[in-house]
Amino acid sequence: MDFLDPSKKRARSIRLFVGYILVAIAVAAASLILLLQAYGYDVNRQTGQVIQNGLVFVSAHPAGANVSLNGVNKGRTDLRLTIPAAQYTISLTQPGYRDWKRTFTLDGGGIERLSYPVLFPVKLTTKDLQLYGEAPVFATSSPDHHWLLVEQPGSLTEFDNFDLGDPTKVSTLVSLPKDVLSASTGAQTLKTVEWSTDNRHVLVQHDYSGGTEFIMIDRQDPASSFNVNKLFGLSPTNVALRNKHYDQLYLYDGSSKTLQTADVKAKLTAPILDKVIDFKAYGANTVLYATDDSATPGKNAIRVWDGKQSYLIHYYPAASGYALDMAGYNGDTYMVVAPKNGGQVYIYKNALEQAKRSSKLIPAPFIDLRLDQPGFVSFSDTAQFILAQNGDHFAAYDAQTNQRYYYELKDQIEPTQQATWMDGNRLVMVLAGKTVVFDYDGINKQTLSASQPDVLPFFNQAYSGLYNIAPSVDVPGHFALTRTELVAK
């Protein structure tokens, strides 16, 4: 019997051993191939060379745009392309729309997500929605891009409420109680502070000859609108929503440098911080602030309050003012600190968590941007991008790719004029009487319809319509709320 023959038994064992080795080699080779493919490695079928690929995802609004890479047609959006690592120029084109173009470098095993391009019509069609004898000087849109309040000229208490989801609807009147605003005989202005996430309440600042006061407008039930100053018997320099709730506030007094919380329903206030120079509220209980309560002469401290305790982040040379902001992106929390008389913008990542683990100050920011005398800092709607601005000079940081961008717009921009985010990737301004849109890094600049310089442009939820306060299209010498179609016919 063969299994009793020692020589045959040994040969059989050798064959099994060799088989196991070959199987192991095959499994290892397959695993290596899969690993290399995961990192983008491939073989050029024409030259036999080993190359490293990357992925590019392309989509656009409106859909169906033609995609070309380095002049070679690749099809229409939405696309997923596996291409060799290299530098590319991508172009999106569609009949009736302006081209969109960007140059990017694709790393081996990397991913480039171009899911945000917006194509604007070549020919813009603008119509009057509501006519005004004079130009309204105040308008504000809800965070969901659904509602637009336009102040009626000559009145600080009456507003036209437009449904941006249906331009055929007639506006409704929002009339505030007469005693909500303090009486004044001199010049008066309104300015948007911030909206509540309920898309119903908006906090506005009323500047008048008697000073400054803050009004909470309830566009759904105007009779419930209230004067913050009168409700609490205080004259705050600044007011902010706490966790974006209209009935929970932060009140800041610049003369005493104190910050306190305020409960609208209970009509109660509670002091939380003193010696505050500037602050930025974030979430339910977090406040990023600058204070002159510093143990180091000639320097200010940047601190974070978490609702219970204040934590030191860093010291900076004393400044009269700071641009501050805070937001969360991809599971991380970013803080932005910009001394307005300095030359850098400091960005911290998860600084509060670091401060809680150590009693020492954080040794350095996560990253910084170079910009002289930054006047404004802001996060994009998705918080992926951080923007700093001083007039026509911009600096931007991409939290997803860890890239910095510096650019200058060749336009006359006042130091007090701020670019605002149209969405998660684009900025909007009014320049030379026109709405201008550009990408986070300054490219793909598009000039759209006419707009009054003091009132921001607005977009509806689908970005199919652009709304402006502008000279009337139909009646010379008059003004109107206009709508410009962003879908080509």
Side-chain angles (χ1 to χ4, degrees), residues 84-328:
Q87 186 178 80
Y88 293 93
T89 296
I90 185 171
S91 297
L92 303 183
T93 59
Q94 191 165 178
Y97 290 89
R98 307 175 192 184
D99 296 350
W100 185 93
K101 184 181 292 185
R102 173 175 289 279
T103 298
F104 65 94
T105 300
L106 181 65
D107 296 325
I111 299 176
E112 185 75 21
R113 300 184 186 276
L114 300 172
S115 57
Y116 61 87
V118 170
L119 305 184
F120 293 97
V122 173
K123 182 180 180 181
L124 297 173
T125 302
T126 301
K127 295 181 179 179
D128 291 347
L129 282 188
Q130 185 144 321
L131 198 66
Y132 295 97
E134 300 176 15
V137 294
F138 173 83
T140 184
S141 175
S142 59
D144 63 356
H145 301 280
H146 194 169
W147 305 104
L148 175 64
L149 289 178
V150 178
E151 175 194 349
Q152 291 189 354
S155 173
L156 292 174
T157 59
E158 293 190 334
F159 305 83
D160 294 318
N161 185 28
F162 295 90
D163 183 348
L164 300 187
D166 186 354
T168 64
K169 282 186 178 179
V170 176
S171 65
T172 57
L173 178 65
V174 172
S175 183
L176 305 183
K178 298 298 183 182
D179 60 349
V180 167
L181 272 67
S182 297
S184 176
T185 57
Q188 303 179 68
T189 60
L190 295 179
K191 182 173 68 174
T192 302
V193 178
E194 59 181 319
W195 279 78
S196 168
T197 49
D198 64 8
N199 296 293
R200 169 178 169 175
H201 296 87
V202 56
L203 178 66
V204 301
Q205 178 176 318
H206 175 217
D207 293 318
Y208 64 109
S209 58
T212 295
E213 61 186 2
F214 295 86
I215 313 298
M216 186 67 72
I217 297 176
D218 184 341
R219 65 158 189 85
Q220 188 170 308
D221 180 15
S224 298
S225 303
F226 59 90
N227 185 309
V228 175
N229 296 45
K230 293 180 181 179
L231 183 67
F232 294 103
L234 299 171
S235 298
T237 308
N238 193 8
V239 176
L241 303 186
R242 187 175 180 185
N243 205 25
K244 297 294 183 180
H245 293 167
Y246 81 94
D247 57 353
Q248 298 293 319
L249 307 173
Y250 289 106
L251 308 181
Y252 173 67
D253 186 335
S255 59
S256 63
K257 298 184 179 180
T258 57
L259 183 68
Q260 55 188 324
T261 59
D263 187 317
V264 170
K265 293 179 180 178
K267 299 181 182 179
L268 294 175
T269 62
I272 55 171
L273 299 170
D274 58 12
K275 300 182 180 179
V276 176
I277 299 171
D278 275 303
F279 80 99
K280 179 67 178 182
Y282 172 70
N285 296 305
T286 306
V287 177
L288 171 66
Y289 68 104
T291 172
D292 58 7
D293 181 21
S294 170
T296 306
K299 292 188 177 182
N300 293 145
I302 302 299
R303 307 182 71 94
V304 180
W305 184 73
D306 71 348
K308 296 180 180 179
Q309 185 175 339
S310 179
Y311 295 89
L312 175 64
I313 302 301
H314 209 77
Y315 291 119
Y316 288 104
S320 58
Y322 295 82
L324 304 171
D325 209 349
M326 189 171 178

Side-chain angles (χ1 to χ4, degrees), residues 2 63 90 121 145 183 198 227 252 321 324 344 373 377 432 437 440 448 467 483 487:
D2 288 347
I90 185 171
H145 301 280
D198 64 8
N227 185 309
Y252 173 67
L324 304 171
Q344 287 181 296
Q373 299 182 349
V377 296
V437 173
Y440 58 88
L448 305 177
Y467 294 81
R483 174 185 164 100
V487 178

Side-chain angles (χ1 to χ4, degrees), residues 445-465:
K445 182 180 174 184
Q446 301 290 338
T447 300
L448 305 177
S449 51
S451 181
Q452 285 294 101
D454 297 329
V455 183
L456 288 174
F458 305 99
F459 297 84
N460 63 359
Q461 290 175 315
Y463 293 96
S464 58

